[in-house]
Amino acid sequence: MEIEEFARRYTAAWCSGDPASVATFYGPGGSLTINGGAPSVGTAAITEAARGFMDAFPDLQVLMDDIRVDGDAVEYHWTLVGTNAATGNAVRISGHEEWTFGADGLVGDSQGYYDSGEYERQVAEGV
């Protein structure tokens, strides 16, 4: 599997407005955990996690900043850009996901991180 191409397609899925397309990058029992919270496990839960961001930012754009590979460890670095639907404020926040792949070539586990304090500040006040 070509990791960089996988990451490009994953980025496009986040920008598509279709949360189910994000979940297609995860194995059937795959999980997405954001900032150490409760994991979203399985296609339906991952779809709903993506929907939460897409609903919060109707003009959501995710930019792929970098992809780092060290053996089996993969880090996908991104920047989220959008206008929060509730406040009308612009948000630009960077973060990363640490991916573990399953034998099927799909993400089995993603641990995502971003500065939640800065995110909340931007939602309330703008960039």
Side-chain angles (χ1 to χ4, degrees), residues 55-73:
D55 287 351
F57 300 96
D59 61 347
L60 175 71
Q61 290 295 302
V62 173
L63 312 172
M64 182 173 78
D65 299 329
D66 194 16
I67 190 83
R68 298 178 188 162
V69 180
D70 183 13
D72 289 338

Side-chain angles (χ1 to χ4, degrees), residues 43-58:
T43 303
I46 292 168
T47 297
E48 289 311 306
R51 184 183 319 281
F53 282 97
M54 291 179 185
D55 287 351
F57 300 96

Side-chain angles (χ1 to χ4, degrees), residues 68-94:
R68 298 178 188 162
V69 180
D70 183 13
D72 289 338
V74 177
E75 285 187 6
Y76 167 72
H77 292 256
W78 50 263
T79 297
L80 176 154
V81 179
T83 306
N84 184 265
T87 65
N89 291 326
V91 172
R92 182 180 188 94
I93 193 87
S94 294

